[in-house]
């Protein structure tokens, strides 16, 4: 791994320079005292005074407080129509109120100092949603628009991101048997694929600036520095599983093999259930990709065409996600250390959660069927720990047997799809 590039401020560089000069002057002074007693150079004392000033002063120049205007945030936005507000914050007023109620009790909004209470949760969430839903928005422009300081923008944004991330087990949930029946019925009646419970794919989340931590590993095949993300969605574009935080150079198939969906299949799939994947994924009993290669029979070409028509749901879901939460088109998180990867993952996960939140609550009212359709004892596990996941090697005999069984399953599926394609709803 290449060494991490150090980045210093002007104050840090001055401290380093004068510390070295002070040590050198002290050494020279000690030698002079030995050779010529009574001669006292005043240079060490001057360096000492400068170091005291640098250590006790945070800013080298006097700060000039900028005047802020809160008219837009406090007077203009509340008068917007639901359609106008949705263009700005990506949520309607009713959805905004519901989201505030969901995150209000989070520890992120409890002030450690009673004498300095935090701003209202609604104000902090407004700032965060505007930043999450806007592409290429600098902190300076965001602060100017919302009438707050640049540091406050980051503070409000990360508080809300961590609070929204706590809702992951409520909104990104693997479907229970009742929900699976609804999903598989749609794929069977509308696309001709029985027992399919979703589609899987990977998507790169490009960074606004190249990471300084392990830079080469984040580079994708399209020469863009990005974070990888693997997700599964249902027929409505809701994400039922999300795994992110890995480098952009990792292949989609390898990234999938490092998820709980692959390592613990029995907890997610029952019977003949499977998900649809593109040609990048290795065939298995739970992931059915299209036929690879160039020389295909007519039946295989037809199957691939119908397969693509059903699998395109995940492409649509990614498109809706990045169109609504446009910060994912240019992730404004600097990855200079390993811990920054976790922060970037939290940003991405918060956008996925907000995507599902808006789909599940289109009117801003928490629907009663949300609890029925989405099992609260979610099978969705926390981000994968690689050492805990049993990965099947490509040279393992069990893997070969599973591959043969998966190919036989796809051939039977192809026969069923071709035999019943005239019954598919158009």
């Amino acid at each position: 791994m290449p060494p991490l590039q150090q980045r210093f401020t002007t104050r840090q560089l001055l401290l380093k320079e004068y510390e070295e000069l002070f040590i050198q002057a002290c050494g020279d002074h000690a030698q002079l005292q030995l050779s010529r007693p009574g001669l006292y150079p005043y240079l060490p004392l001057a360096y000492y005074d400068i170091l005291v000033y640098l250590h006790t002063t945070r800013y080298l120049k006097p700060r000039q407080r900028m005047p802020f205007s809160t008219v837009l945030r406090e007077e203009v936005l509340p008068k917007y129509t639901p359609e106008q507000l949705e263009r700005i914050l990506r949520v309607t007023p009713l959805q905004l109120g519901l989201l505030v109620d969901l995150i209000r009790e989070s520890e992120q909004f409890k002030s450690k100092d009673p004498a300095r209470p935090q701003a209202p949760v609604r104000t902090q969430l407004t700032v965060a949603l505007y930043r999450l839903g806007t592409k290429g928005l600098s902190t300076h422009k965001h602060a100017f628009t919302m009438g707050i300081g640049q540091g406050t923008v980051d503070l409000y944004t990360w508080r809300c991101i961590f609070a929204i991330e706590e809702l992951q087990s409520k909104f990104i949930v693997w479907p229970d048997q009742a929900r699976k029946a609804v999903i598989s019925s749609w794929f069977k009646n509308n696309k001709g694929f029985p027992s399919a419970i979703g589609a899987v794919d990977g998507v790169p989340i490009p960074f606004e600036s190249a990471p300084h931590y392990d830079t080469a590993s984040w580079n994708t095949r399209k020469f863009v520095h990005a974070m990888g993300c693997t997700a599964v969605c249902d027929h409505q574009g809701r994400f039922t599983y999300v795994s992110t935080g890995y480098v952009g150079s990792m292949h989609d198939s390898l990234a999938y093999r490092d998820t709980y969906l692959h390592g613990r299949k029995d907890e997610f799939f029952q019977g003949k259930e499977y998900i649809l994947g593109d040609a990048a994924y290795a065939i298995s009993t739970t992931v059915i990709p299209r036929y690879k290669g160039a020389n295909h029979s007519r039946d295989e070409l037809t199957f691939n065409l119908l397969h693509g028509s059903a699998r395109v749901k995940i492409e649509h879901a990614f498109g809706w996600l990045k169109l609504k939460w446009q910060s994912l088109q240019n992730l404004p998180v600097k990855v200079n250390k390993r811990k920054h990867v976790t922060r970037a993952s939290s940003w991405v996960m918060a956008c996925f959660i907000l995507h599902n939140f808006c789909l599940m609550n289109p009117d801003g009212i928490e629907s009663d069927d949300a609890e029925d359709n989405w099992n609260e004892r979610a099978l969705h596990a926390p981000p994968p720990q690689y050492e805990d996941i049993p990965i099947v090697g490509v040279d393992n005999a069990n893997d070969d047997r599973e591959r043969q069984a998966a190919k036989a399953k796809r051939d039977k599926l192809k026969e069923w799809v071709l035999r019943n394609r005239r019954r598919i709803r158009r």
Side-chain angles (χ1 to χ4, degrees), residues 107-300:
E107 293 292 331
Q108 299 294 330
F109 303 110
K110 294 182 180 179
S111 180
K112 298 179 181 179
D113 185 2
R116 301 180 61 184
Q118 292 188 15
V121 177
R122 190 182 187 91
T123 299
Q124 299 189 50
L125 185 59
T126 299
V127 173
L129 292 177
Y130 183 56
R131 193 175 184 190
L132 291 173
T134 308
K135 176 185 176 182
L137 181 64
S138 66
T139 308
H140 174 74
K141 292 182 179 179
H142 194 173
F144 174 78
T145 303
M146 289 296 172
I148 55 179
Q150 295 186 43
T152 309
V153 169
D154 281 333
L155 185 62
Y156 288 0
T157 301
W158 286 111
R159 279 178 185 167
C160 292
I161 284 176
F162 294 142
I164 292 171
E165 194 178 18
E166 295 172 4
L167 303 176
Q168 179 177 347
S169 61
K170 183 176 179 65
F171 291 104
I172 300 183
V173 182
W174 191 253
D176 59 6
Q177 289 304 121
R179 180 66 181 173
K180 285 180 179 179
V182 175
I183 299 172
S184 62
S185 176
W186 187 92
F187 274 104
K188 178 181 179 181
N189 296 330
N190 293 273
K191 299 299 179 180
F193 284 84
S195 302
I197 57 173
V200 62
D201 201 3
V203 61
I205 309 295
F207 288 105
E208 185 177 49
S209 57
H212 288 270
Y213 171 74
D214 200 7
T215 305
S217 298
W218 299 100
N219 204 9
T220 67
R221 60 184 178 86
K222 296 183 179 180
F223 305 104
V224 176
H225 293 92
M227 173 178 286
C229 180
T230 298
V232 179
C233 80
D234 62 11
H235 62 293
Q236 294 178 325
R238 298 179 184 178
F239 292 104
T240 56
Y241 187 91
V242 178
S243 174
T244 186
Y246 56 88
V247 294
S249 59
M250 183 178 290
H251 193 271
D252 285 349
S253 182
L254 179 59
Y256 179 79
R257 294 175 73 89
D258 284 347
T259 64
Y260 281 93
L261 285 181
H262 178 81
R264 302 177 181 178
K265 300 177 183 178
D266 295 339
E267 298 181 17
F268 293 90
F269 300 92
Q270 286 78 37
K272 299 180 180 180
E273 295 171 353
Y274 59 89
I275 52 180
L276 301 171
D278 61 15
Y281 290 92
I283 188 171
S284 67
T285 54
T286 54
V287 179
I288 302 297
R290 67 175 180 85
Y291 286 94
K292 301 179 184 180
N295 299 322
H296 296 302
S297 64
R298 184 174 181 179
D299 289 347
E300 291 175 349

Side-chain angles (χ1 to χ4, degrees), residues 302-316:
T302 304
F303 175 84
N304 284 352
L305 180 63
L306 297 175
H307 182 281
S309 177
R311 194 197 62 82
V312 77
K313 280 295 177 181
I314 186 66
E315 305 290 355
H316 292 166

Side-chain angles (χ1 to χ4, degrees), residues 188-190 416 419-426:
K188 178 181 179 181
N189 296 330
N190 293 273
W416 193 98
R419 187 170 61 250
N420 296 275
R421 61 177 177 169
R422 296 185 182 278
R423 302 178 186 177
I424 301 175
R425 299 173 186 172
R426 298 293 184 185

